[in-house]
Amino acid sequence: WYQRRVRDQNNKKANMSNFKLSDGNIIPGVGFGTGTALYEKDASDPVSLALNVGFKHIDAAQLYNNEKSVGAALAASQKPRSELFITTKIGIDATTPHETVATQLADLGLQYVDLYLIHTPTSKTTGTLADLWKSFSEIKKKGLTKSIGVSNFRITDLQQILNVTDDKPVINQIEFHPYLYVQSKPLLEFCQSNGITVSAYSPLAPITHFKGGPLDPVLEKIASLHQVTPAQVLIGWSIAKGVVPITTSTKKDRLEEMLNANKLELTVDEVKLIDDASATHHQRIYWKELFQ
């Protein structure tokens, strides 16, 4: 019933392809990420391809060291700014948030981003997490971002910023996939109970990094029933959990596949099959030192 409730809430909040954030802004249901495979690489061609295929949500970060190339692709697309949703994250070594966001906007060629995130609770900014969150609230008030949120935050990290200002984080972007569901469930439920939408990076990890696990035959079975691919099933599973998936590829057919996965609605039983098959197989790619 939990999965159905989450999905039904999302359908009431927005069209199936979108999620409504707690501040009222709408985030597209599947985002294109410019990290991982594109880390410290020229992302202009892949971002251009993603935009041409139909992605509206581009997820960037200062840490990826490619925001200028992302900006070049945005400019070349000539797409109206209002049709795009651009996320970026403050660098983990940034000490001056107001100066940092100005630099990032210049690199991206934008006057504002739609979502600005603290990349990690271990960011080396001056002061505490609460101080950094106050700066983020000020950045939002200046109109440099429409929404503010966090990434890689644990429950204890979120508790440090929830009551600091009138602005609550609307997103917590974390590594999220079936092989992390058992460990992530308390965090997911804490976020959802506090109006924080969870966004997933590496949602395809079971087939991109951990192939050969107990989930493989389950994904194949469900994919066959729906006449989709295992990757699309994983995207559908994230959405069924009320989570916004961020994925990436340099191939047109794979990008189209990911966008089309947004239309897939798994049954409660199918979601449970995935949960059960992955319950005893814990795997994490990133930030292992944070999530012990």
Side-chain angles (χ1 to χ4, degrees), residues 98 161 172 180 195 231 277 289:
H98 292 274
I161 66 170
N172 185 15
L180 277 180
E289 70 279 7

Side-chain angles (χ1 to χ4, degrees), residues 34-39 41 248 250 286:
T34 60
T36 56
L38 299 177
Y39 179 73
K41 295 180 180 177
T248 193
T250 57
Y286 303 105

Side-chain angles (χ1 to χ4, degrees), residues 47-178:
V47 172
S48 293
L49 180 61
L51 291 170
N52 288 335
V53 164
F55 276 86
K56 298 181 183 299
H57 179 187
I58 305 297
D59 182 88
Q62 191 174 46
L63 178 65
Y64 304 157
N65 199 26
N66 57 13
E67 285 180 304
K68 285 185 178 180
S69 63
V70 173
L74 296 176
S77 75
Q78 297 186 327
K79 290 185 179 293
R81 179 65 183 89
S82 60
E83 293 182 7
L84 300 175
F85 189 101
I86 310 300
T87 298
T88 196
K89 312 169 194 76
I90 191 170
I92 61 174
D93 294 324
T95 57
T96 52
H98 292 274
E99 292 178 14
T100 299
V101 71
T103 299
Q104 291 181 272
L105 289 173
D107 287 346
L108 290 165
L110 301 174
Q111 293 182 325
Y112 69 92
V113 290
D114 297 274
L115 178 61
Y116 197 42
L117 305 180
I118 301 174
H119 204 143
T120 163
T122 59
S123 292
K124 298 174 183 176
T125 49
T126 304
T128 64
L129 272 181
D131 293 330
L132 178 55
W133 188 249
K134 288 176 185 176
S135 293
F136 263 56
S137 186
E138 292 165 2
I139 287 168
K140 179 186 173 185
K141 284 180 173 61
K142 287 182 177 180
L144 302 179
T145 182
K146 290 188 172 182
S147 298
I148 50 177
V150 297
S151 181
N152 300 304
F153 270 47
R154 301 155 296 189
I155 292 174
T156 53
D157 303 315
L158 290 167
Q159 289 170 331
Q160 293 181 52
I161 66 170
L162 273 178
N163 299 309
V164 170
T165 74
D166 291 337
D167 291 306
K168 301 224 178 337
V170 299
I171 284 274
N172 185 15
Q173 186 181 120
I174 60 173
E175 181 180 342
F176 185 80
H177 48 76

Side-chain angles (χ1 to χ4, degrees), residues 146-285:
K146 290 188 172 182
S147 298
I148 50 177
V150 297
S151 181
N152 300 304
F153 270 47
R154 301 155 296 189
I155 292 174
T156 53
D157 303 315
L158 290 167
Q159 289 170 331
Q160 293 181 52
I161 66 170
L162 273 178
N163 299 309
V164 170
T165 74
D166 291 337
D167 291 306
K168 301 224 178 337
V170 299
I171 284 274
N172 185 15
Q173 186 181 120
I174 60 173
E175 181 180 342
F176 185 80
H177 48 76
Y179 288 148
L180 277 180
Y181 181 56
V182 171
Q183 187 191 52
S184 301
K185 191 174 180 182
L187 176 58
L188 178 65
E189 292 178 348
F190 179 87
C191 286
Q192 291 176 333
S193 68
N194 283 279
I196 304 168
T197 299
V198 171
S199 178
Y201 61 82
S202 301
L204 307 183
I207 59 175
T208 59
H209 288 75
F210 307 117
K211 193 75 174 167
L215 197 53
D216 288 14
V218 175
L219 294 175
E220 292 287 353
K221 178 182 178 181
I222 296 173
S224 177
L225 287 171
H226 286 274
Q227 295 186 314
V228 296
T229 66
Q232 288 176 307
V233 173
L234 286 169
I235 294 295
W237 178 85
S238 287
I239 293 172
K241 296 296 186 184
V243 173
V244 182
I246 308 293
T247 188
T248 193
S249 178
T250 57
K251 298 178 180 178
K252 182 181 179 182
D253 57 340
R254 289 300 303 276
L255 291 174
E256 290 173 338
E257 181 184 325
M258 293 304 97
L259 275 183
N260 288 331
N262 209 6
K263 303 170 186 175
L264 173 66
E265 187 166 5
L266 301 177
T267 67
V268 172
D269 289 341
E270 288 167 341
V271 172
K272 188 175 186 302
L273 279 174
I274 294 171
D275 293 351
D276 292 346
S278 56
T280 59
H281 198 72
H282 174 81
Q283 298 283 4
R284 178 180 293 280
I285 307 170

